[in-house]
Amino acid sequence: MPMQNGIGYGEYTGVKIQHLSKILAMHMAITKEVIKKHASYYEPQYRYLDLTAGQGKTPDGNPGSPLVFLDQASIPKFDIPFKADFIEHVQINHDELVNNVSSHPIFYENKQSIKFHLDDYETAIPNLLRFKREDELGLAFVDHSGDMPNFEILNYIEKVRPRMEILLYLPATNVKRQYEKTSKLLSDYLSDIGKKFWLIREPFKGDSHQWTFLLGSNWAKFQRYKSIRLYRLDSDEGQKIFRQMNFSKEQIFEQEQPRLF
């Protein structure tokens, strides 16, 4: 994958952004209804944490995850307040992030609700989420451009914001390649995060890296999104997809062969 200032991009970047937009639209719509229905209990705003915000745009100039979120927050149907934290640890990327987000049409009317953080998310998240809160809903998104995310921090988010969903974008093949060093499967890493339910997006045919979205939740409320091939992990479709992404071909072969000794 080509890299620019630590930000990766390639042939699947465009469709990643399209699918992220649809996942955010689905998640924000459902979360909005839950907040409205239980207004006396939940914080009356949607919290968005972008742990690897980058420059706000992809290296080829298209909207990145921060602008995709703001686009969805601009839709009239999304009629609740939001709070967004954009975290980026590279100075040049952070500066571009501020410029790009500040140019978005809804920035000035919501500038008090949008915060930028020049920091590693491993440091920023414990400072942003100091205490456990059951009443704050929203989404934490991490996309490491091919590297592994910090699963300890994702577990920390799960503990202090148990009703907030966690969205990962990662290449399953990279996890499998590190198995000899880590002795951990993708299923082990998801278990480390601690979410009860997961949705998984089927990778594209021919994608040797097996790029996928994984959405973790403690609610069974989120169901499949068939048009983007996003399935519940506990469904037949999800199990079939996950087996191919969790195990190498050699591991699958060993499971299918009878033991000789």
Side-chain angles (χ1 to χ4, degrees):
M1 172 187 285
M3 301 286 285
Q4 181 173 312
N5 297 323
I7 301 172
Y9 63 101
E11 62 179 313
Y12 296 105
T13 299
V15 74
K16 174 189 77 171
I17 294 302
Q18 293 174 16
H19 286 189
L20 174 62
S21 179
K22 291 184 177 182
I23 292 170
L24 279 171
M26 174 268 290
H27 187 269
M28 293 167 74
I30 292 174
T31 305
K32 179 198 75 171
E33 294 305 319
V34 172
I35 290 173
K36 285 191 168 186
K37 187 175 181 180
H38 304 281
S40 62
Y41 181 77
Y42 293 117
E43 180 75 15
Q45 69 175 8
Y46 182 99
R47 184 79 181 270
Y48 178 67
L49 301 168
D50 196 324
L51 279 58
T52 48
Q55 297 183 352
K57 290 186 177 181
T58 61
D60 58 2
N62 290 311
S65 54
L67 298 187
V68 170
F69 169 76
L70 293 178
D71 286 344
Q72 291 301 324
S74 303
I75 295 174
K77 288 184 178 180
F78 187 73
D79 55 354
I80 62 170
F82 70 86
K83 182 177 181 181
D85 291 281
F86 298 124
I87 305 168
E88 173 54 44
H89 71 287
V90 177
Q91 180 75 61
I92 188 171
N93 293 340
H94 174 269
D95 294 344
E96 284 297 312
L97 172 68
V98 173
N99 289 334
N100 289 325
V101 170
S102 299
S103 300
H104 195 279
I106 72 165
F107 174 75
Y108 283 101
E109 61 188 82
N110 295 279
K111 62 189 305 183
Q112 298 303 316
S113 301
I114 299 173
K115 305 297 181 184
F116 303 97
H117 308 275
L118 177 58
D119 206 346
D120 295 312
Y121 68 82
E122 291 90 342
T123 303
I125 288 297
N127 288 328
L128 289 171
L129 310 178
R130 292 178 177 272
F131 309 104
K132 183 176 181 178
R133 288 184 58 180
E134 299 267 1
D135 65 334
E136 188 166 54
L137 305 185
L139 184 72
F141 175 56
V142 59
D143 172 9
H144 254 294
S145 295
D147 293 332
M148 296 284 281
N150 186 314
F151 288 92
E152 289 184 12
I153 290 296
L154 299 181
N155 177 251
Y156 177 84
I157 296 173
E158 149 61 21
K159 288 180 177 177
V160 296
R161 293 296 186 276
R163 297 184 183 275
M164 179 180 288
E165 277 65 53
I166 295 176
L167 180 64
L168 316 177
Y169 185 70
L170 55 77
T173 299
N174 287 13
V175 180
K176 289 184 279 189
R177 285 174 177 167
Q178 297 181 39
Y179 179 78
E180 290 188 3
K181 294 180 180 179
T182 65
S183 298
K184 296 185 76 169
L185 301 168
L186 180 56
S187 55
D188 297 318
Y189 287 112
L190 298 188
S191 180
D192 288 345
I193 296 175
K195 289 297 186 186
K196 295 178 181 178
F197 304 100
W198 287 92
L199 281 80
I200 185 168
R201 192 205 66 179
E202 183 179 10
F204 290 91
K205 291 182 179 179
D207 176 12
S208 61
H209 296 287
Q210 294 185 308
W211 284 99
T212 185
F213 281 102
L214 288 155
L215 178 65
S217 177
N218 285 330
W219 291 356
K221 195 173 187 71
F222 297 97
Q223 300 298 320
R224 69 179 184 176
Y225 198 148
K226 194 171 182 179
S227 69
I228 61 170
R229 307 196 307 277
L230 184 73
Y231 300 99
R232 280 278 296 266
L233 200 58
D234 54 5
S235 69
D236 290 341
E237 301 103 320
Q239 283 292 297
K240 183 178 180 180
I241 294 165
F242 191 68
R243 185 168 186 261
Q244 300 296 323
M245 303 183 72
N246 195 41
F247 299 112
S248 67
K249 291 181 180 179
E250 292 77 11
Q251 290 168 326
I252 293 174
F253 179 79
E254 289 178 2
Q255 291 174 359
E256 293 176 345
Q257 298 306 303
R259 296 288 181 180
L260 298 179
F261 302 100

